[in-house]
């Protein structure tokens, strides 16, 4: 248990570092030096030292949004096997619980944006509510895939120990589709290019960023830390799928876990560097691709996994 808690805390503390790696990669492709690799830590410290400013039109819901958003992100990490070790918490059906915890975090983020009575934040909230609907459908299709293979509804059954190695041996080809599907979900849920651009400042084209325009100081710091942890959650799952042999290589599972994370974050940085942000009417089609890939993987699995 102590080891699981230590890895969970380490994942939270390391989340800003890996997100800073994306900035470095994008700067490299742009022929620039880029910000320091620890820029996200500097930003969080600066935000937590400041005070928060609240509009007279907001209520307690506006203050709850950042807190619950961060709480949801760090809570779901507790159920995830970090580096293949047992999670902090695990029970039968926890994978469904995790999906709904993420949904609660999104709900309060949207509610906080709506509470400002800003038309721009309301526009971003509507988009935030729309696109993840497709992601949720894809996530449940992926859940059906894993349940078909393992007969379990626990994240630890999918990603702890040698579980992922077993998944590859049972359904290697369909699992490639699942990895691609989950990567699209990662880009969508974390508002990355080509779905959204976290660096843009044009309200008409923003999704997540436009919802947090009125947050400041520590509140905005909580939102940023929550977004780092949420990206870490999705990246950890993909890392476990693409690097499933931690215990068999060098005897250092954490090292291989970090290597998998580096692959995922580098892939995100490269994708953002070589891909333009899609027009808003093209985004649903791109997100729907994740559902199609997960659906095909599940159908293929039904054919040869008895």
């Amino acid at each position: 248990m102590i080891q699981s808690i230590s890895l969970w805390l380490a994942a939270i503390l390391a989340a800003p570092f890996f997100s800073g790696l994306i900035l470095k990669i994008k700067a490299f492709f742009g022929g620039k030096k880029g910000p320091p690799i620890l820029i996200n830590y500097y930003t969080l410290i600066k935000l937590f030292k400041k005070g928060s400013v609240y509009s007279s039109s907001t209520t307690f819901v506006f203050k709850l949004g950042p807190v619950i958003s961060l709480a949801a992100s760090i809570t779901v990490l507790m159920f995830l096997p970090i580096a293949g070790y047992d999670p902090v918490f695990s029970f039968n059906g926890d994978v469904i619980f995790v999906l709904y915890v993420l949904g609660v975090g999104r709900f309060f983020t949207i509610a906080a944006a709506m509470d400002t009575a800003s038309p721009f934040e309301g526009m971003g909230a509507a988009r935030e509510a729309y696109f993840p609907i497709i992601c949720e459908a894809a996530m449940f299709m992926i859940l059906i895939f894993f349940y078909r293979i393992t007969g379990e509804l626990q994240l630890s059954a999918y990603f702890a120990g040698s579980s992922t190695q077993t998944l590859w041996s049972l359904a290697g080809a369909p699992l490639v589709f699942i990895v691609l599907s989950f990567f699209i979900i990662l880009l969508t849920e974390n508002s990355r290019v080509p779905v959204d651009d976290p660096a843009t400042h044009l309200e008409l084209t923003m999704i997540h960023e436009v919802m947090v325009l009125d947050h400041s100081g520590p509140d905005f710091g909580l939102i940023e830390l929550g977004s780092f942890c949420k990206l870490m959650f999705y990246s950890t799952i993909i890392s476990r799928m693409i690097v499933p042999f931690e215990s068999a290589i060098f005897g250092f599972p954490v090292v291989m876990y970090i290597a998998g994370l580096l692959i995922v974050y580098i892939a995100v940085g490269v994708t953002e560097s070589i891909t333009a942000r899609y027009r808003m009417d093209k985004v649903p089609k791109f997100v729907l691709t994740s559902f199609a890939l997960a659906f095909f993987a599940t159908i293929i699995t039904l054919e040869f996994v008895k």
Side-chain angles (χ1 to χ4, degrees):
M1 176 60 72
I2 295 177
Q3 186 181 49
S4 300
I5 295 176
S6 300
L7 289 170
W8 169 67
L9 291 174
I12 295 174
L13 294 176
F17 170 81
F18 283 99
S19 293
L21 180 64
I22 296 177
L23 300 177
K24 274 293 188 181
I25 295 171
K26 294 173 67 176
F28 172 78
F29 274 85
K32 302 176 183 178
K33 181 180 179 181
I37 193 67
L38 302 178
I39 182 62
N40 288 327
Y41 295 103
Y42 303 149
T43 302
L44 290 174
I45 293 173
K46 179 176 67 176
L47 288 173
F48 286 127
K49 285 183 177 180
K50 292 183 176 181
S52 296
V53 179
Y54 301 106
S55 169
S56 58
S57 65
T58 59
T59 65
F60 72 96
V61 175
F62 183 76
K63 298 179 182 180
L64 276 178
V67 177
I68 296 181
S69 175
L70 173 61
S73 298
I74 63 178
T75 298
V76 295
L77 281 173
M78 289 183 175
F79 292 87
L80 194 62
I82 304 295
Y85 291 100
D86 292 334
V88 178
F89 298 114
S90 180
F91 56 86
N92 188 32
D94 62 10
V95 62
I96 299 177
F97 175 78
V98 164
L99 293 178
Y100 279 98
V101 168
L102 290 171
V104 169
R106 182 185 303 113
F107 172 81
F108 276 92
T109 301
I110 293 173
M114 297 292 290
D115 194 53
T116 61
S118 167
F120 280 120
E121 295 200 26
M123 177 184 61
R127 294 170 179 170
E128 179 75 7
Y130 172 51
F131 296 138
I133 291 176
I134 308 175
C135 289
E136 289 178 1
M139 287 289 286
F140 277 101
M141 185 57 65
I142 292 174
L143 174 58
I144 294 173
F145 172 86
F146 283 126
Y147 181 78
R148 173 65 182 172
I149 299 296
T150 65
E152 301 285 346
L153 289 174
Q154 291 179 265
L155 284 172
S156 59
Y158 308 152
F159 306 116
S162 60
S163 301
T164 316
Q165 182 176 350
T166 303
L167 288 175
W168 279 104
S169 63
L170 292 175
L175 197 57
V176 174
F177 285 174
I178 295 297
V179 171
L180 294 176
S181 173
F182 212 90
F183 187 71
I184 295 174
I185 293 174
L186 178 149
L187 297 175
T188 305
E189 290 282 2
N190 293 277
S191 302
R192 314 300 305 194
V193 177
V195 176
D196 191 16
D197 188 355
T200 186
H201 295 286
L202 181 61
E203 291 88 344
L204 291 174
T205 62
M206 288 191 288
I207 300 176
H208 176 75
E209 294 299 318
V210 74
M211 292 196 301
V212 298
L213 287 176
D214 282 8
H215 290 283
S216 59
D219 289 337
F220 189 62
L222 294 177
I223 292 174
E224 288 287 273
L225 182 57
S227 65
F228 298 149
C229 292
K230 186 177 179 181
L231 182 57
M232 173 64 75
F233 171 78
Y234 286 97
S235 299
T236 296
I237 292 179
I238 298 179
S239 169
R240 283 291 299 153
M241 286 193 283
I242 63 177
V243 186
F245 303 106
E246 287 97 342
S247 59
I249 302 179
F250 306 124
F252 296 107
V254 175
V255 173
M256 298 310 300
Y257 166 66
I258 294 175
L261 282 181
L262 289 174
I263 294 174
V264 176
Y265 278 89
I266 289 174
V268 173
V270 172
T271 300
E272 293 198 355
S273 300
I274 65 176
T275 308
R277 187 192 184 284
Y278 288 150
R279 274 176 18 200
M280 198 59 64
D281 60 335
K282 300 294 184 181
V283 172
K285 298 178 182 179
F286 173 74
V287 181
L288 191 59
T289 305
S290 64
F291 177 81
L293 290 169
F295 177 79
F296 289 140
T298 304
I299 294 300
I300 294 172
T301 303
L302 293 176
E303 291 295 327
F304 68 83
V305 177
K306 304 297 183 183

